[in-house]
Amino acid sequence: MAAAKKRTRSGIEDVRDRKAKVIKDSGEKRHIAALILARGGSKGIPLKNIKMLAGVPLIGWVLRAAVDSKQFDSVWVSTDHDDIEKVAKAWGAQVHRRSPEVSKDSSSSLDTIQEFVRLNPEVDVICHIQATSPCLHPFHLKEALEMITKQGFTSVFSVVRQHHFRWQEVKKGGSVATQPLNLDPSNRPRRQDWDGELCENGSFYIYTRAMIERGLQGGKWAYYEMLPEYSVDIDVDIDWPVAEQRVLRFGYFGLDKPEVVRLLLCKVSGCLTDGRVLISVSGEEMVSVNTRDTMGIRMLQREGVEVILISSSEDPVTKALADKLSQRTGCEVRQLSKDIQGEVKAMMDDRDLDWKEVAYMGNDAPDVDCLNLAGLSAVPRDAPVVAINAAKYSCHSAAGRGAVREFSEHILLLKKKAKSQMEQDRIHRNTF
C-alpha cells in the first residue's frame, strides 16, 4: 500500500495553547475517542449514512477503519435516528443519542461535538471522522494521531493536494472582468512544475479537548496529507456510482486477508433460490435456480474455493431436489440441524479451517451467528434487517436473482485485490 505523504505546519502558539499541549503530561494516558456524526435528516440523500456502498453501509467503512486502527479508547456515533443507531452498534460503535437542540438542520458540527464532550468528561482527544469518507484506512488515523500524541499538535486535519487553476467568480450580468486567483496566465506552469494547493478533504479532524471548547481548529495546528485516491467525499447521489468504483479499488476491507477464503457455505432457500417452493399436482417440489448464480459458483470452484449448499431443518430440501441441485451446481447439498453454527464448525474442523477462511451466505435470524463469525459474509438485498446488520456485505441483487453470483464476484475481487497487494509488497521488499 502506498504510504501517505505527510507535512506539518505550525501556527502561533499562545499561553493557552501551551497549557493544552501539556494536558496530562504527568504520564496519565489520555482518552482518545473517535466520533462520527450521523444525523438521520440528510437533505441530499435520505439516510445517506447507512445507504449501502459496495455492499457495506456507508458509515461501516469508516467505523471499520477506526476500530481496526486500535488507536482509540472508544469509538462513537452521534445520531438521532434509530436505524443509524442499530447499524452503528452492529459495526462496533457506542452510540451518543444527540439532543433535539443539536439535531436541527441549522445545527453545526461544533454544536454536536461540544455536547458530546460535555457528556463524556473522560475524553481528552476527539478524532471527528466524516462518515462520507469511505476510503479512509487505519494507517491514516494512526499517523495523524501521532502528530497529536507524539509531536504535541493540538489540532490536525486531513488535506489533499489539488492542481486546479482558480478564477474569481463574476455574478451573472456583471461587467467586471474575472481575475486569476492562483496563477499567472502569461506563464501557466506545467503540472509537474507546480506543487499545487492543499485543500481540506473532509476525511477527519482531530482536536484536543481545549481546542473543542474554544471552537475546534486553532492553537498549534497541522495538516495530514492524504493521497488523492483515498480522498472520496460523497455529497450528492450522483457521486455514488463513482464512489463505489473507488472504494472497490482503494477502500479498506478489514484486517483479515480475503485471499485465504477456501470454503463458501450458501443457503439454498432465500439465497440460491427466491425462497418459493412450487408443488405440482402429483406432490413434486420444484424450485427455480438462476443460471447467473450457478455460473458464480463455478467461478469460485475454478479458483479452488469449495462451495457447499446448505438447508436448515426449518426449511428442508427433499433428497430428490438436493440430488438435482448437486448435479446442476457440482456442489454437495447438506441438511443442517437447528444448531447451524455447531455443524458449520464441525465442517470447518474436518477441513482444518478457521472462520477467517470461510465465507457464509445466509438470509435470516438463524444465520446471524455464522454471518458474524465468517471471514466474509453476505445476504441478498431482500433479507430481513437482523441478517443485513450481521453481514459484512449486502448484495444489490435479490435472492434467486443473481445474489450468489454477486457475492462470488465480490469474493474473487477481494482475492485479486489481496494478491495484487502481496505482489506489490514483494516488489517493495526486493527493491529496498
Side-chain angles (χ1 to χ4, degrees):
M1 182 175 292
K5 295 184 287 184
K6 179 173 61 178
R7 296 178 176 86
T8 61
R9 176 179 61 207
S10 300
I12 298 174
E13 184 179 17
D14 59 20
V15 174
R16 289 176 298 178
D17 299 327
R18 289 194 291 274
K19 287 181 179 178
K21 188 172 72 175
V22 297
I23 288 176
K24 295 193 175 182
D25 63 354
S26 60
E28 184 181 351
K29 184 180 182 297
R30 290 190 286 183
H31 184 114
I32 302 175
L35 178 65
I36 295 95
L37 308 184
R39 192 169 66 93
S42 172
K43 296 300 180 184
I45 307 174
L47 287 180
K48 170 179 64 178
N49 294 305
I50 55 174
K51 182 178 177 179
M52 290 296 170
L53 179 74
V56 173
L58 177 60
I59 199 171
W61 289 100
V62 294
L63 283 174
R64 179 158 54 193
V67 171
D68 285 358
S69 73
K70 303 187 186 306
Q71 299 299 304
F72 299 104
D73 298 291
S74 57
V75 176
W76 294 81
V77 169
S78 173
T79 188
D80 59 343
H81 199 281
D82 291 342
D83 290 342
I84 295 176
E85 178 175 353
K86 291 175 184 176
V87 173
K89 289 179 176 178
W91 284 85
Q94 300 179 66
V95 173
H96 163 239
R97 286 298 296 222
R98 61 173 71 179
S99 67
E101 288 73 25
V102 298
S103 300
K104 304 171 184 175
D105 290 343
S106 58
S107 300
S108 68
S109 296
L110 175 60
D111 296 333
T112 310
I113 294 171
Q114 287 181 334
E115 178 187 74
F116 173 82
V117 167
R118 282 197 307 272
L119 296 174
N120 295 275
E122 75 282 1
V123 174
D124 303 298
V125 177
I126 291 281
C127 180
H128 169 209
I129 303 172
Q130 300 270 39
T132 51
S133 301
C135 286
L136 183 68
H137 281 243
F139 77 87
H140 295 136
L141 298 170
K142 180 177 184 297
E143 292 175 358
L145 279 164
E146 286 177 350
M147 298 170 73
I148 297 278
T149 60
K150 296 183 179 180
Q151 299 179 40
F153 290 99
T154 58
S155 175
V156 175
F157 53 95
S158 59
V159 301
V160 63
R161 190 172 297 273
Q162 295 184 343
H163 294 77
H164 298 309
F165 295 135
R166 296 183 292 108
W167 291 78
Q168 183 180 14
E169 181 181 2
V170 176
K171 298 300 182 182
K172 211 166 190 180
S175 59
V176 180
T178 185
Q179 297 294 324
L181 296 177
N182 65 344
L183 81 152
D184 176 4
S186 64
N187 187 26
R188 294 173 68 93
R190 299 182 305 166
R191 181 184 178 92
Q192 58 266 38
D193 296 331
W194 181 41
D195 288 339
E197 297 180 323
L198 295 176
C199 304
E200 291 186 16
N201 69 354
S203 285
F204 58 82
Y205 301 83
I206 310 175
Y207 325 98
T208 61
R209 188 182 191 90
M211 288 300 99
I212 294 169
E213 292 169 350
R214 291 169 52 189
L216 300 182
Q217 288 172 304
K220 184 182 179 184
W221 53 17
Y223 60 76
Y224 176 86
E225 185 176 350
M226 294 173 62
L227 296 176
E229 51 263 39
Y230 300 116
S231 298
V232 177
D233 187 16
I234 300 174
D235 282 326
V236 293
D237 205 19
I238 197 171
D239 292 339
W240 217 264
V242 176
E244 284 200 323
Q245 293 305 311
R246 182 78 68 86
V247 165
L248 288 172
R249 186 173 180 185
F250 298 110
Y252 171 68
F253 288 87
L255 293 171
D256 292 331
K257 294 181 182 291
E259 78 275 9
V260 301
V261 170
R262 294 165 53 192
L263 172 66
L264 168 63
L265 298 169
C266 177
K267 290 285 288 290
V268 173
S269 181
C271 289
L272 181 63
T273 75
D274 61 8
R276 295 182 301 168
V277 177
L278 307 178
I279 303 175
S280 68
V281 175
S282 61
E284 184 181 10
E285 293 186 357
M286 295 174 287
V287 296
S288 174
V289 178
N290 195 302
T291 55
R292 287 182 293 164
D293 292 324
T294 56
M295 178 58 70
I297 290 172
R298 293 192 183 97
M299 289 163 60
L300 288 175
Q301 291 169 332
R302 285 197 293 267
E303 292 296 322
V305 178
E306 181 183 4
V307 181
I308 297 178
L309 302 177
I310 57 177
S311 64
S312 66
S313 58
E314 298 174 352
D315 194 10
V317 174
T318 64
K319 185 180 185 308
L321 193 53
D323 290 342
K324 287 291 185 182
L325 285 172
S326 180
Q327 180 182 354
R328 180 81 179 177
T329 62
C331 303
E332 176 187 357
V333 180
R334 185 171 295 200
Q335 179 77 42
L336 303 185
S337 66
K338 288 186 177 181
D339 183 17
I340 296 178
Q341 181 182 338
E343 294 205 34
V344 168
K345 187 64 170 65
M347 284 188 275
M348 291 165 50
D349 291 342
D350 289 343
R351 293 162 175 78
D352 194 25
L353 299 178
D354 294 322
W355 278 106
K356 68 180 181 180
E357 300 172 289
V358 175
Y360 188 95
M361 189 168 196
N363 72 313
D364 216 327
D367 302 307
V368 165
D369 289 339
C370 290
L371 290 169
N372 278 319
L373 290 168
L376 290 174
S377 60
V379 293
R381 183 188 67 196
D382 48 352
V385 173
V386 65
I388 291 175
N389 286 342
K392 298 175 178 66
Y393 183 88
S394 294
C395 296
H396 293 289
S397 304
R401 290 176 171 81
V404 174
R405 169 64 176 266
E406 182 181 337
F407 187 41
S408 299
E409 290 179 343
H410 180 68
I411 293 171
L412 294 174
L413 177 66
L414 294 186
K415 286 168 67 71
K416 182 179 179 181
K417 176 184 175 75
K419 288 177 181 178
S420 174
Q421 184 61 56
M422 289 173 63
E423 178 64 18
Q424 191 65 39
D425 291 343
R426 182 189 65 77
I427 292 172
H428 288 167
R429 287 194 301 270
N430 291 344
T431 303
F432 301 103

